[in-house]
mmCIF file with all atom_site columns, all heavy atoms in Angstrom:
data_model
loop_
_atom_site.group_PDB
_atom_site.id
_atom_site.type_symbol
_atom_site.label_atom_id
_atom_site.label_alt_id
_atom_site.label_comp_id
_atom_site.label_asym_id
_atom_site.label_entity_id
_atom_site.label_seq_id
_atom_site.pdbx_PDB_ins_code
_atom_site.Cartn_x
_atom_site.Cartn_y
_atom_site.Cartn_z
_atom_site.occupancy
_atom_site.B_iso_or_equiv
_atom_site.pdbx_formal_charge
_atom_site.auth_seq_id
_atom_site.auth_comp_id
_atom_site.auth_asym_id
_atom_site.auth_atom_id
_atom_site.pdbx_PDB_model_num
ATOM 1  N N   . VAL A 1 33  ? 64.132  -157.562 -7.119  1.00 97.00 ? 53  VAL A N   1
ATOM 2  C CA  . VAL A 1 33  ? 65.517  -157.881 -7.215  1.00 97.00 ? 53  VAL A CA  1
ATOM 3  C C   . VAL A 1 33  ? 65.754  -159.190 -6.615  1.00 97.00 ? 53  VAL A C   1
ATOM 4  O O   . VAL A 1 33  ? 65.345  -159.516 -5.476  1.00 97.00 ? 53  VAL A O   1
ATOM 5  C CB  . VAL A 1 33  ? 66.475  -156.866 -6.592  1.00 97.00 ? 53  VAL A CB  1
ATOM 6  C CG1 . VAL A 1 33  ? 67.912  -157.243 -6.766  1.00 97.00 ? 53  VAL A CG1 1
ATOM 7  C CG2 . VAL A 1 33  ? 66.279  -155.403 -7.155  1.00 97.00 ? 53  VAL A CG2 1
ATOM 8  N N   . ASN A 1 48  ? 72.519  -158.025 9.205   1.00 90.00 ? 68  ASN A N   1
ATOM 9  C CA  . ASN A 1 48  ? 72.257  -159.076 10.233  1.00 90.00 ? 68  ASN A CA  1
ATOM 10 C C   . ASN A 1 48  ? 71.046  -159.954 9.969   1.00 90.00 ? 68  ASN A C   1
ATOM 11 O O   . ASN A 1 48  ? 70.913  -161.021 10.549  1.00 90.00 ? 68  ASN A O   1
ATOM 12 C CB  . ASN A 1 48  ? 71.865  -158.258 11.674  1.00 90.00 ? 68  ASN A CB  1
ATOM 13 C CG  . ASN A 1 48  ? 73.076  -157.506 12.116  1.00 90.00 ? 68  ASN A CG  1
ATOM 14 O OD1 . ASN A 1 48  ? 74.253  -158.011 11.878  1.00 90.00 ? 68  ASN A OD1 1
ATOM 15 N ND2 . ASN A 1 48  ? 72.879  -156.515 12.855  1.00 90.00 ? 68  ASN A ND2 1
ATOM 16 N N   . ASN A 1 63  ? 59.538  -152.309 3.755   1.00 90.00 ? 83  ASN A N   1
ATOM 17 C CA  . ASN A 1 63  ? 58.322  -152.910 3.401   1.00 90.00 ? 83  ASN A CA  1
ATOM 18 C C   . ASN A 1 63  ? 58.250  -153.546 2.002   1.00 90.00 ? 83  ASN A C   1
ATOM 19 O O   . ASN A 1 63  ? 57.049  -153.708 1.496   1.00 90.00 ? 83  ASN A O   1
ATOM 20 C CB  . ASN A 1 63  ? 57.109  -151.881 3.553   1.00 90.00 ? 83  ASN A CB  1
ATOM 21 C CG  . ASN A 1 63  ? 56.978  -151.369 5.063   1.00 90.00 ? 83  ASN A CG  1
ATOM 22 O OD1 . ASN A 1 63  ? 57.117  -152.095 5.985   1.00 90.00 ? 83  ASN A OD1 1
ATOM 23 N ND2 . ASN A 1 63  ? 56.871  -150.073 5.097   1.00 90.00 ? 83  ASN A ND2 1
ATOM 24 N N   . VAL A 1 118 ? 87.263  -145.257 -19.435 1.00 96.00 ? 138 VAL A N   1
ATOM 25 C CA  . VAL A 1 118 ? 86.046  -145.880 -19.087 1.00 96.00 ? 138 VAL A CA  1
ATOM 26 C C   . VAL A 1 118 ? 84.876  -145.248 -19.798 1.00 96.00 ? 138 VAL A C   1
ATOM 27 O O   . VAL A 1 118 ? 83.887  -145.908 -20.105 1.00 96.00 ? 138 VAL A O   1
ATOM 28 C CB  . VAL A 1 118 ? 85.823  -145.982 -17.597 1.00 96.00 ? 138 VAL A CB  1
ATOM 29 C CG1 . VAL A 1 118 ? 86.909  -146.656 -16.941 1.00 96.00 ? 138 VAL A CG1 1
ATOM 30 C CG2 . VAL A 1 118 ? 85.447  -144.639 -17.060 1.00 96.00 ? 138 VAL A CG2 1
ATOM 31 N N   . LEU A 1 184 ? 88.771  -144.827 10.566  1.00 97.00 ? 204 LEU A N   1
ATOM 32 C CA  . LEU A 1 184 ? 89.765  -145.704 9.907   1.00 97.00 ? 204 LEU A CA  1
ATOM 33 C C   . LEU A 1 184 ? 89.256  -146.935 9.488   1.00 97.00 ? 204 LEU A C   1
ATOM 34 O O   . LEU A 1 184 ? 88.948  -147.912 10.287  1.00 97.00 ? 204 LEU A O   1
ATOM 35 C CB  . LEU A 1 184 ? 90.977  -145.770 10.928  1.00 97.00 ? 204 LEU A CB  1
ATOM 36 C CG  . LEU A 1 184 ? 92.116  -146.420 10.450  1.00 97.00 ? 204 LEU A CG  1
ATOM 37 C CD1 . LEU A 1 184 ? 92.826  -145.816 9.165   1.00 97.00 ? 204 LEU A CD1 1
ATOM 38 C CD2 . LEU A 1 184 ? 93.225  -146.646 11.391  1.00 97.00 ? 204 LEU A CD2 1
ATOM 39 N N   . LEU A 1 200 ? 96.253  -136.170 15.261  1.00 98.00 ? 220 LEU A N   1
ATOM 40 C CA  . LEU A 1 200 ? 96.112  -135.788 16.689  1.00 98.00 ? 220 LEU A CA  1
ATOM 41 C C   . LEU A 1 200 ? 97.036  -134.652 17.051  1.00 98.00 ? 220 LEU A C   1
ATOM 42 O O   . LEU A 1 200 ? 96.836  -133.998 18.045  1.00 98.00 ? 220 LEU A O   1
ATOM 43 C CB  . LEU A 1 200 ? 96.482  -137.151 17.528  1.00 98.00 ? 220 LEU A CB  1
ATOM 44 C CG  . LEU A 1 200 ? 95.386  -138.205 17.275  1.00 98.00 ? 220 LEU A CG  1
ATOM 45 C CD1 . LEU A 1 200 ? 95.897  -139.479 17.967  1.00 98.00 ? 220 LEU A CD1 1
ATOM 46 C CD2 . LEU A 1 200 ? 94.046  -137.712 17.916  1.00 98.00 ? 220 LEU A CD2 1
ATOM 47 N N   . ASP A 1 249 ? 77.439  -146.279 6.835   1.00 92.00 ? 269 ASP A N   1
ATOM 48 C CA  . ASP A 1 249 ? 77.200  -145.129 5.935   1.00 92.00 ? 269 ASP A CA  1
ATOM 49 C C   . ASP A 1 249 ? 77.017  -143.840 6.928   1.00 92.00 ? 269 ASP A C   1
ATOM 50 O O   . ASP A 1 249 ? 77.471  -142.713 6.727   1.00 92.00 ? 269 ASP A O   1
ATOM 51 C CB  . ASP A 1 249 ? 75.952  -145.133 5.039   1.00 92.00 ? 269 ASP A CB  1
ATOM 52 C CG  . ASP A 1 249 ? 76.303  -146.270 4.050   1.00 92.00 ? 269 ASP A CG  1
ATOM 53 O OD1 . ASP A 1 249 ? 77.414  -146.782 3.961   1.00 92.00 ? 269 ASP A OD1 1
ATOM 54 O OD2 . ASP A 1 249 ? 75.314  -146.560 3.317   1.00 92.00 ? 269 ASP A OD2 1
ATOM 55 N N   . LYS A 1 253 ? 79.429  -140.350 7.492   1.00 95.00 ? 273 LYS A N   1
ATOM 56 C CA  . LYS A 1 253 ? 78.848  -138.998 7.342   1.00 95.00 ? 273 LYS A CA  1
ATOM 57 C C   . LYS A 1 253 ? 79.016  -138.190 8.646   1.00 95.00 ? 273 LYS A C   1
ATOM 58 O O   . LYS A 1 253 ? 78.938  -136.908 8.650   1.00 95.00 ? 273 LYS A O   1
ATOM 59 C CB  . LYS A 1 253 ? 77.480  -138.973 6.799   1.00 95.00 ? 273 LYS A CB  1
ATOM 60 C CG  . LYS A 1 253 ? 77.006  -137.521 6.301   1.00 95.00 ? 273 LYS A CG  1
ATOM 61 C CD  . LYS A 1 253 ? 75.820  -137.565 5.408   1.00 95.00 ? 273 LYS A CD  1
ATOM 62 C CE  . LYS A 1 253 ? 75.541  -136.185 4.942   1.00 95.00 ? 273 LYS A CE  1
ATOM 63 N NZ  . LYS A 1 253 ? 74.307  -136.223 3.998   1.00 95.00 ? 273 LYS A NZ  1
ATOM 64 N N   . GLU A 1 297 ? 92.573  -136.330 -9.846  1.00 96.00 ? 317 GLU A N   1
ATOM 65 C CA  . GLU A 1 297 ? 92.354  -135.351 -11.008 1.00 96.00 ? 317 GLU A CA  1
ATOM 66 C C   . GLU A 1 297 ? 90.900  -134.838 -11.106 1.00 96.00 ? 317 GLU A C   1
ATOM 67 O O   . GLU A 1 297 ? 90.540  -133.650 -11.330 1.00 96.00 ? 317 GLU A O   1
ATOM 68 C CB  . GLU A 1 297 ? 92.789  -135.937 -12.365 1.00 96.00 ? 317 GLU A CB  1
ATOM 69 C CG  . GLU A 1 297 ? 92.755  -135.039 -13.577 1.00 96.00 ? 317 GLU A CG  1
ATOM 70 C CD  . GLU A 1 297 ? 93.166  -135.692 -14.791 1.00 96.00 ? 317 GLU A CD  1
ATOM 71 O OE1 . GLU A 1 297 ? 94.141  -136.513 -14.713 1.00 96.00 ? 317 GLU A OE1 1
ATOM 72 O OE2 . GLU A 1 297 ? 92.453  -135.459 -15.805 1.00 96.00 ? 317 GLU A OE2 1
ATOM 73 N N   . GLU A 1 306 ? 96.295  -123.541 -4.731  1.00 94.00 ? 326 GLU A N   1
ATOM 74 C CA  . GLU A 1 306 ? 97.362  -123.790 -3.817  1.00 94.00 ? 326 GLU A CA  1
ATOM 75 C C   . GLU A 1 306 ? 97.291  -125.080 -2.951  1.00 94.00 ? 326 GLU A C   1
ATOM 76 O O   . GLU A 1 306 ? 98.205  -125.406 -2.278  1.00 94.00 ? 326 GLU A O   1
ATOM 77 C CB  . GLU A 1 306 ? 97.420  -122.510 -2.982  1.00 94.00 ? 326 GLU A CB  1
ATOM 78 C CG  . GLU A 1 306 ? 96.344  -122.396 -1.992  1.00 94.00 ? 326 GLU A CG  1
ATOM 79 C CD  . GLU A 1 306 ? 95.202  -121.614 -2.486  1.00 94.00 ? 326 GLU A CD  1
ATOM 80 O OE1 . GLU A 1 306 ? 95.105  -121.346 -3.832  1.00 94.00 ? 326 GLU A OE1 1
ATOM 81 O OE2 . GLU A 1 306 ? 94.289  -121.152 -1.786  1.00 94.00 ? 326 GLU A OE2 1
ATOM 82 N N   . ALA A 1 330 ? 105.630 -134.197 6.990   1.00 96.00 ? 350 ALA A N   1
ATOM 83 C CA  . ALA A 1 330 ? 105.549 -132.994 6.407   1.00 96.00 ? 350 ALA A CA  1
ATOM 84 C C   . ALA A 1 330 ? 104.289 -132.884 5.488   1.00 96.00 ? 350 ALA A C   1
ATOM 85 O O   . ALA A 1 330 ? 103.504 -132.108 5.496   1.00 96.00 ? 350 ALA A O   1
ATOM 86 C CB  . ALA A 1 330 ? 106.736 -132.644 5.589   1.00 96.00 ? 350 ALA A CB  1
ATOM 87 N N   . MET A 1 336 ? 96.519  -131.383 6.971   1.00 97.00 ? 356 MET A N   1
ATOM 88 C CA  . MET A 1 336 ? 95.750  -130.998 8.081   1.00 97.00 ? 356 MET A CA  1
ATOM 89 C C   . MET A 1 336 ? 95.725  -129.368 8.183   1.00 97.00 ? 356 MET A C   1
ATOM 90 O O   . MET A 1 336 ? 94.657  -128.881 8.500   1.00 97.00 ? 356 MET A O   1
ATOM 91 C CB  . MET A 1 336 ? 96.374  -131.408 9.378   1.00 97.00 ? 356 MET A CB  1
ATOM 92 C CG  . MET A 1 336 ? 96.200  -132.926 9.551   1.00 97.00 ? 356 MET A CG  1
ATOM 93 S SD  . MET A 1 336 ? 94.445  -133.613 9.334   1.00 97.00 ? 356 MET A SD  1
ATOM 94 C CE  . MET A 1 336 ? 93.620  -132.735 10.611  1.00 97.00 ? 356 MET A CE  1
#
Side-chain angles (χ1 to χ4, degrees):
V53 183
N68 292 333
N83 297 318
V138 304
L204 181 60
L220 290 171
D269 296 351
K273 195 163 183 179
E317 186 179 320
E326 66 273 14
M356 294 307 298

